[in-house]
Amino acid sequence: MTTKRYNEASIRSLLEAFGNPMHVVWEGRVWAANEAYCEMLGLPREQVEGRFMLDFVHPEDRARLEARYRQRQAGSLNEAEPRRYLLPATHNRGVRDVATHVQVVELEGLGQAHLINSLVLGARPAELEMAERLVEASAELVAARSEEAVRRGALAGLVGAGVSARFLVREGEHFTARDGAAAPEDVALGLRALAEGRALFGSLPGRDTTHVYLPLGTTLSEVLWVEGQGLSPSYGSVLALFAKVVGAALTDARLLADVERGRWEMVAVAEAARFVAQTEPPTPEDFLSRMASLLGADAVLLYVPESSQGELRLSAQVGLDGELPSVLAAPLGGMSPSSRVARGAVLSSEAEERVLLEASGGRLGCGAAVRLFNGGHPRGLLQVLRAAGRPFSGADLRLLGTLSELLMTLLDQRRLRSESARQLSDTRLLLDLARTTTATLEVASILDVASDFLVKLLDVSNCFILLHDEQAGQLRGAAASATHRDFFRGVVISVDDPLSVTARVARERKPVAIPDVSKAPELGQLEFVSRFGEKALLALPLTSREELIGVVLVDDTRGPRPFTVPFIELAQATCGQIALAIANARLYESLWASYAELAAARAEMVKRERLAALGELSAIVAHEVRNPLGVIFNAVASLRRMLKAEGDAAMLLDILAEESDRLNRIVRDLLDYTGQREPILHLEDVPRVLQDAVDGALMLPGVSPSPVTSSLEVEPDLPRVPMDRRLIRQALVNVLINAIHSMPQGGPVRVLARRETHGGRGMLRLDIADQGCGIPTELIHRVFEPFFTTKAQGTGMGLAVVKRNIEAHHGDISVVSVPGRGTTFTLRLPLTQPTSTP
C-alpha cells in the first residue's frame, strides 16, 4: 500500500498515463476512469463515473464480487494474484473475460480508495455463450405448467441466445406456424428432419442467415425452427439438446394439463351433479348457465322434440338474447337441430363457423353439438357456441358429453316431477268433478260445472257441450265454459250436417282431433271456428250404455297443438264420467216425473171419486130439490094471479121468486159440473164458434148494464179444429161473462185466435182479454176451484166448468191478471186429434 495522497487531478493524470483499462472505486462507486476503461465498457465517461462498479459486471458474478469487495473493505481479504470476472455483452460485443489487479490508494479529503487495473482476456466461444443461455432457459422450462408457458419460455431463451425461432406444426406435406407467420419455403427439409429425428440446417437464396429444423423428440407433427446469422452445424448439438428439453417440457405440460383438467372435470361434474340433485331441481336455463360457465361458452342452446317423433324446437337457451332469431334461422348443417348428430360431441366445420359468424354479427364463430339420448333413443340436441378464434378442444367435448348426460337426467327428473304433479292435479280435479256431479242431480248444473272443469283439466281455451235430441235429429247447445255460456245455449246443429265435426262425431261416435285448423281449409269457413278464433279442435262423444247423450268440443285459440294419445284417453275418461252423471241425473228426473205423474193420477182418481160422489149427490139434490122448487114456482105464480100484491106483499113475492130462481141456477150449475159426459169432437169453424159465444154472452139478460164493446181477431187461414161445439161455447160464454162483470162501467173485450206450438204440439190459442178491475194476486191461484167466487150473487162454478171442458178436450187454460188493468184468459186446444164417430 502506498502512502502517497492523490488529489483528483493527479489521480486522473495517473490513470490516463496507462493504456490498459483502469478505474478508481470509492465507497463502491466508480470515482474516476480512463478512456480505455470507458471504451471497454462501450459507454461514455458521464455514464460510467458515479455509478456502482457492480453495474458493469455480468449478473452471474455480481454476488461473488460484492462479497469480495466487502471483505476487502473490512481488511479481511489479502490477495496478490489477479482475479477474473465476466464483462456483460454490449450491443456489438459478446461476454468477455476480464482479469483485474486491485491496489489501495489514498485520496485527499476522501480516504482510502481502490485502484483497479483491468486486462481483457478475450471473447468467449459463441457456442458456449449459446449453451449457457439455453441452459438458463431450460431451467425456466422445468417450472412451466402449461404448453403456452413452455413455448413462450423456449422462444424467449432462443431470442436471448441471439437467434429467432418459431414452432411449426405439420399439416400433411406442409407446415403452419403457430404464430400465424408464413412457413419457410424448404418444408421438405423440415419433413426430413421429422422423419430422421435429427437437426437439419438450411438456408434460403437471397438471405444472409442460416436456419435449422429441430425435431422436438416427442411428436412427429411439430418442429422448432431456429434462424440466425452465423448459425452453423457447430451449434447443432446444443440446439438439438435444447429442442429435446423443450419437447420433454411440452410432454410434461400436457400431462400436467391433462391431470389438472381431469381433476377439474371431476370437480366440475361433481358440482353439476350436486346442482342437479337439489331437492327442487333447477330449471334447464339455470343448468345451461352453469354449463356455459364450466365450458367457457358464450351461448348454449337446448332443442327438444315436441313429441316422440316430432321436429326439434328450441326449448331453452342462454347467452343469445337479441341475435336469437338470426342464429336460429342460420342453416348450420351438421350443427342444425334437424341434423342427425351421432353419439358423442362433434365440432363445427369451417363452413358452419362462417355461417354462424355471419348470423351472429361476428359475435359467435365456433361451436360444438351433442345429441341427447334416453333409453337408446335420441331425445334432443345440445349446442354450445363460442366467439371466433376460441375453438372447443377434445377435452371440452369430453366434458360436454358428460354434462349432456347430467342434463338428460335433469330433464327426466323434471319431466317425472311434472308428470307426477300433473297426475296429482288431474286426480284432484277428477275427485272434485265426482263430488260436484254427485252432489247435484240437475243436468244444467252438471253441464256448467263439467265445461269449466274440462277447461282446467285439459288446459284448453273453451269447452262446449251439446246434447242429442234423437227425435229431432239435432244437437242442441246445453252448456259452455263461462266466456260463451249464454250464446252457446241457443246453438242447434243437425246430426246430418256433412261439414260439421260435431255431427260427424255424433254419427261415428269416435273422437276427432284437428291439431291445426289452418291445415283444414273447409273448417276455416265454419261460423264457430271463425267466431271463436279456434286454432286446434278436439271433439268427443258423450255416450252411456251405447246411447249417445251428446258431444263435447274443446278448442285452443292460442295456436296449433298436438292431441296425444294420453291426452285423448284422459279426455275420454272424463267425458265418460260426465255422461254417467248426466244419465243418472236424467234417471233421477225421470223418477221424479214418474212420481209426479203418479201423484197427479192419484189426485185425478180422488177428484173423479169426489166428482162421482158429487154427481150422485147432485142427482139426489136435483130429484129432492127441483120438485119442491117446482111447487114453489107454481105457488108464487098462483099467488101473483090470485092477489093483487102491493107494498110489502109484492116485495116478499119478488124475493121468493128471485131466491127460488137462484137456487135453481145453483142446482143447474152443479149438475153441469158433475156431469161425466165425454166431448163429441167434430171439425168446427173457429170464427163461427167464437162469434156465437160472444153474441150469446152479450145477449144474456142482466149481463151488461153498462156499454161493453167486443172485438174478434182471428188468424187468417185458420184451419177447422176438432171440438165439442156446445162445451166450448159454454166455456167461452162463462169466461166472457166474467170479463163483462169485471167492467161495471163498461169497456172493451178482445177475443184473439191464432196457432202456436206449445209443449211440442200444434195448438189453437184463444185469448179473452178485458180491462176490468183484475184479480188480486193472492186469489188468482183459486179462480178455478169449485164454489170459489168473489161475486155476491155468484155460484163459484163458472170457471170450474170452463177448466173441466177445456181439459176434456186435452187442452189447458191459464190466466194472467194485473189488478186495476185487466185480465187475460188463455185457452189452448189441440189442432189435431181424432174426431168422434158420427
Side-chain angles (χ1 to χ4, degrees):
M1 172 178 173
T2 181
T3 58
K4 182 180 179 180
R5 294 180 179 273
Y6 293 91
N7 57 22
E8 182 177 358
S10 62
I11 198 66
R12 289 190 182 278
S13 176
L14 175 63
L15 294 178
E16 294 298 338
F18 293 92
N20 56 306
M22 297 181 67
H23 63 288
V24 178
V25 176
W26 179 71
E27 292 187 351
R29 296 181 180 272
V30 178
W31 189 77
N34 63 2
E35 290 294 334
Y37 182 74
C38 293
E39 183 180 356
M40 181 186 71
L41 298 179
L43 297 172
R45 187 183 301 274
E46 58 269 14
Q47 293 184 13
V48 175
E49 293 181 351
R51 291 177 60 182
F52 285 100
M53 67 172 183
L54 296 179
D55 290 346
F56 307 111
V57 177
H58 196 279
E60 296 180 357
D61 270 348
R62 287 177 185 173
R64 178 175 64 86
L65 294 179
E66 183 178 5
R68 292 177 63 81
Y69 178 74
R70 289 176 180 173
Q71 291 176 2
R72 189 180 296 280
Q73 286 286 88
S76 60
L77 179 65
N78 185 14
E79 59 181 12
E81 294 296 328
R83 291 297 176 182
R84 299 175 61 174
Y85 71 94
L86 293 178
L87 191 68
T90 60
H91 64 281
N92 57 359
R93 296 175 185 175
V95 178
R96 289 161 291 169
D97 279 337
V98 178
T100 61
H101 182 270
V102 181
Q103 182 180 356
V104 177
V105 296
E106 189 75 20
L107 299 179
E108 290 183 357
L110 297 177
Q112 289 185 353
H114 295 92
L115 175 64
I116 301 174
N117 186 8
S118 301
L119 177 64
V120 178
L121 301 178
R124 304 173 71 194
E127 293 83 352
L128 179 59
E129 181 73 20
M130 177 176 287
E132 291 180 351
R133 293 297 183 184
L134 295 184
V135 167
E136 295 176 4
S138 298
E140 294 179 358
L141 294 182
V142 174
R145 300 183 63 85
S146 67
E147 289 188 58
E148 183 63 27
V150 170
R151 298 181 195 280
R152 188 167 55 248
L155 295 178
L158 289 168
V159 171
V163 294
S164 62
R166 64 173 57 99
F167 287 92
L168 302 180
V169 181
R170 178 178 179 178
E171 293 183 357
E173 298 299 319
H174 302 280
F175 283 99
T176 301
R178 285 188 176 273
D179 58 2
E185 297 177 5
D186 55 348
V187 292
L189 193 62
L191 296 175
R192 180 182 166 192
L194 278 177
E196 297 178 4
R198 63 188 181 91
L200 291 180
F201 287 82
S203 61
L204 296 174
R207 302 181 66 168
D208 57 353
T209 59
T210 305
H211 59 265
V212 58
Y213 289 92
L214 301 171
L216 298 182
T218 58
T219 175
L220 297 179
S221 61
E222 191 171 11
V223 298
L224 183 59
W225 180 83
V226 180
E227 181 183 35
Q229 289 184 348
L231 199 62
S232 65
S234 61
Y235 295 89
S237 58
V238 174
L239 292 174
L241 179 60
F242 181 71
K244 291 181 179 180
V245 171
V246 172
L250 287 174
T251 301
D252 292 342
R254 291 191 189 101
L255 292 175
L256 180 61
D258 289 341
V259 171
E260 292 293 334
R261 175 78 186 200
R263 182 183 306 158
W264 176 83
E265 286 183 2
M266 290 179 61
V267 174
V269 171
E271 179 186 352
R274 287 193 298 270
F275 187 64
V276 170
Q278 297 180 76
T279 305
E280 182 66 26
T283 64
E285 288 79 6
D286 291 338
F287 187 84
L288 295 184
S289 297
R290 185 66 58 92
M291 181 181 293
S293 175
L294 294 176
L295 290 171
D298 297 309
V300 184
L301 295 84
L302 172 63
Y303 295 89
V304 296
E306 295 183 355
S307 61
S308 59
Q309 301 297 329
E311 289 293 326
L312 293 176
R313 62 175 180 82
L314 183 66
S315 175
Q317 62 86 20
V318 293
L320 285 179
D321 299 332
E323 58 264 278
L324 175 61
S326 62
V327 171
L328 293 182
L332 298 181
M335 291 281 294
S336 68
S338 60
S339 67
R340 293 297 173 187
V341 178
R343 284 187 178 274
V346 296
L347 295 173
S348 56
S349 64
E350 293 183 4
E352 292 167 347
E353 291 176 357
R354 287 194 297 270
V355 174
L356 182 61
L357 192 66
E358 181 180 356
S360 63
R363 181 184 168 213
L364 304 172
C366 300
V370 61
R371 182 70 68 178
L372 302 178
F373 288 87
N374 186 10
H377 302 285
R379 289 293 181 266
L381 176 69
L382 183 65
Q383 287 187 173
V384 289
L385 306 174
R386 281 181 182 170
R390 296 177 55 225
F392 290 93
S393 64
D396 292 331
L397 296 185
R398 183 175 63 250
L399 179 59
L400 176 61
T402 304
L403 293 178
S404 68
E405 294 178 1
L406 286 176
L407 175 59
M408 197 68 247
T409 301
L410 172 62
L411 295 179
D412 285 342
Q413 186 176 359
R414 291 184 62 85
R415 177 180 58 80
L416 292 175
R417 288 177 65 92
S418 176
E419 289 180 356
S420 299
R422 180 182 57 79
Q423 291 174 358
L424 179 60
S425 176
D426 292 348
T427 303
R428 288 175 176 172
L429 287 174
L430 290 172
L431 181 60
D432 291 341
L433 176 64
R435 289 173 177 171
T436 304
T437 53
T438 54
T440 179
L441 290 173
E442 294 182 0
V443 174
S445 300
I446 292 175
L447 294 179
D448 288 342
V449 170
S451 57
D452 291 335
F453 168 81
L454 284 172
V455 170
K456 295 179 182 178
L457 176 66
L458 302 178
D459 186 27
V460 294
S461 301
N462 301 298
C463 175
F464 307 99
I465 301 178
L466 301 97
L467 295 182
H468 181 220
D469 186 344
E470 186 175 1
Q471 292 183 349
Q474 295 175 335
L475 293 166
R476 300 181 182 275
S481 46
T483 308
H484 307 291
R485 184 163 294 163
D486 294 336
F487 161 77
F488 198 74
R489 285 196 173 107
V491 172
V492 177
I493 300 175
S494 173
V495 176
D496 298 326
D497 189 345
L499 297 179
S500 173
V501 175
T502 308
R504 174 183 167 189
V505 171
R507 292 192 302 268
E508 299 177 358
R509 301 190 183 185
K510 296 179 181 178
V512 174
I514 304 175
D516 190 350
V517 172
S518 63
K519 295 182 179 179
E522 67 279 3
L523 296 180
Q525 302 175 0
L526 297 181
E527 176 186 356
F528 295 145
V529 173
S530 58
R531 180 187 183 94
F532 301 136
E534 295 172 328
K535 302 295 188 302
L537 184 65
L538 174 64
L540 306 108
L542 276 176
T543 57
S544 177
R545 300 181 183 88
E546 302 301 326
E547 176 187 359
L548 179 65
I549 294 178
V551 176
V552 173
L553 293 172
V554 293
D555 65 21
D556 202 321
T557 60
R558 295 166 293 188
R561 66 179 293 178
F563 295 109
T564 61
V565 174
F567 181 91
I568 295 177
E569 289 177 349
L570 175 62
Q572 284 181 302
T574 309
C575 288
Q577 184 174 349
I578 295 171
L580 181 61
I582 295 173
N584 291 338
R586 285 182 171 178
L587 288 175
Y588 180 78
E589 291 177 352
S590 176
L591 180 61
W592 274 104
S594 299
Y595 286 159
E597 291 177 0
L598 181 60
R602 184 176 301 171
E604 183 66 22
M605 290 178 62
V606 172
K607 177 180 175 182
R608 289 181 181 275
E609 290 178 0
R610 291 176 60 191
L611 289 177
L614 187 59
E616 293 179 2
L617 178 61
S618 300
I620 295 173
V621 169
H623 180 73
E624 297 297 333
V625 175
R626 278 195 166 182
N627 289 336
L629 280 177
V631 174
I632 293 173
F633 281 134
N634 292 333
V636 170
S638 298
L639 288 174
R640 287 185 185 278
R641 288 193 302 272
M642 293 171 57
L643 302 174
K644 300 297 183 179
E646 296 180 357
D648 291 340
M651 182 185 67
L652 291 174
L653 287 175
D654 290 340
I655 291 174
L656 182 61
E658 182 178 346
E659 292 302 321
S660 299
D661 184 63
R662 180 170 175 270
L663 184 59
N664 186 55
R665 289 199 309 274
I666 291 174
V667 172
R668 185 184 67 241
D669 290 343
L670 184 61
L671 290 174
D672 287 342
Y673 180 74
T674 58
Q676 296 300 314
R677 175 187 170 185
E678 289 293 327
I680 301 174
L681 303 180
H682 296 288
L683 294 176
E684 300 289 350
D685 184 59
V686 176
R688 291 185 58 184
V689 173
L690 295 178
Q691 189 62 53
D692 184 27
V694 171
D695 293 342
L698 293 176
M699 292 175 61
L700 288 175
V703 168
S704 179
S706 301
V708 174
T709 60
S710 64
S711 62
L712 181 61
E713 300 178 18
V714 180
E715 178 183 323
D717 300 326
L718 194 66
R720 294 165 68 87
V721 178
M723 66 177 71
D724 187 317
R725 183 187 183 95
R726 185 185 67 82
L727 295 181
I728 296 302
R729 181 183 183 282
Q730 181 185 24
L732 292 172
V733 169
N734 287 353
V735 174
L736 288 167
I737 290 174
N738 282 348
I740 295 170
H741 285 169
S742 69
M743 298 184 294
Q745 305 301 322
V749 176
R750 296 179 60 203
V751 180
L752 297 87
R754 58 189 174 91
R755 286 174 291 186
E756 73 167 7
T757 300
H758 181 73
R761 297 186 301 168
M763 305 291 282
L764 169 65
R765 173 171 175 163
L766 303 175
D767 292 321
I768 302 173
D770 63 60
Q771 295 183 2
C773 59
I775 303 172
T777 304
E778 65 274 10
L779 299 179
I780 196 168
H781 66 284
R782 300 189 61 192
V783 295
F784 298 110
E785 292 182 6
F787 306 109
F788 174 77
T789 181
T790 58
K791 301 176 184 178
Q793 300 297 321
T795 64
M797 300 298 296
L799 291 179
V801 171
V802 172
K803 182 176 177 63
R804 190 206 63 179
N805 289 354
I806 296 301
E807 290 180 347
H809 283 75
H810 306 289
D812 64 67
I813 182 171
S814 61
V815 60
V816 176
S817 181
V818 179
R821 298 181 60 181
T823 302
T824 300
F825 282 88
T826 300
L827 288 68
R828 293 184 177 88
L829 299 174
L831 286 174
T832 58
Q833 57 181 319
T835 58
S836 301
T837 303

